[in-house]
Amino acid sequence: GASVQVWSESKQAWFEGIVEEAFSTETLTEGYHVRAGTLKVKSAAGTKWVTPENAAKLLREGGESRAQKKEEEPEEEKEHEKEEKDEEKALQLSAEEREAFLKKMEKKIGYGAYELFLGASDVVRSDRKCALAAVKKYGGALK
């Protein structure tokens, strides 16, 4: 699942979370009637069912976990960082490309948002802002 931050009303704070499931169709799961586009998000605050109309105010881009970094030897670490930066540059979306995609996404609703995201390049689909925009419009975009 996608890494996100989720707002907890009871704790009045943002928590790192993972989208455990995105429901593209209306369904019955875990004893709940779930509407299409709903996301099931797990965080330290608990599990939250986020409906499409609440996604924009309850979800935002997730941060990377710094606690998970492995200790590496200095030379290996430098080489590894250089390789990662080279890969990131190859897969990095320019600001202009991102804005163009996000403008197109703003005009889409429901399944149209999914189709736009599905038809986008790998670079666009791997961009967090583009992926989150697609999920906010249509939860099934995570599949």
Side-chain angles (χ1 to χ4, degrees):
S3 293
V4 295
Q5 287 189 339
V6 59
W7 177 253
S8 169
E9 263 316 305
S10 62
K11 307 238 188 298
Q12 291 292 297
W14 290 98
F15 286 86
E16 292 295 325
I18 298 288
V19 176
E20 286 193 329
E21 201 162 350
F23 298 89
S24 58
T25 59
E26 189 174 309
T27 189
L28 183 66
T29 185
E30 298 180 36
Y32 295 101
H33 175 81
V34 178
R35 294 185 10 230
T38 298
L39 303 174
K40 181 182 176 187
V41 180
K42 178 103 171 151
S43 73
T47 299
K48 183 177 289 268
W49 299 81
V50 181
T51 57
E53 66 271 12
N54 290 320
K57 69 179 181 181
L58 297 177
L59 299 176
R60 66 183 186 187
E61 281 187 73
E64 293 181 5
S65 171
R66 291 160 203 9
Q68 297 293 327
K69 285 192 174 181
K70 292 194 306 188
E71 292 290 327
E72 294 180 323
E73 301 216 6
E75 285 184 36
E76 287 179 15
E77 188 173 331
K78 286 179 187 175
E79 188 173 322
H80 181 68
E81 285 177 11
K82 184 184 180 314
E83 288 172 4
E84 281 184 347
K85 285 179 184 176
D86 290 345
E87 286 176 16
E88 284 176 17
K89 284 180 186 175
L91 292 175
Q92 196 166 7
L93 189 62
S94 74
E96 294 84 15
E97 290 172 307
R98 178 183 291 126
E99 286 306 311
F101 177 83
L102 293 174
K103 281 184 180 183
K104 288 179 189 175
M105 184 59 71
E106 284 177 8
K107 298 174 185 173
K108 299 293 182 181
I109 58 171
Y111 195 75
Y114 173 72
E115 288 179 324
L116 176 64
F117 187 67
L118 189 62
S121 69
D122 289 345
V123 176
V124 169
R125 288 195 317 269
S126 66
D127 182 81
R128 283 182 162 199
K129 288 184 180 182
C130 293
L132 191 54
V135 167
K136 284 179 180 178
K137 289 281 189 161
Y138 186 76
L142 283 176
K143 290 188 175 185

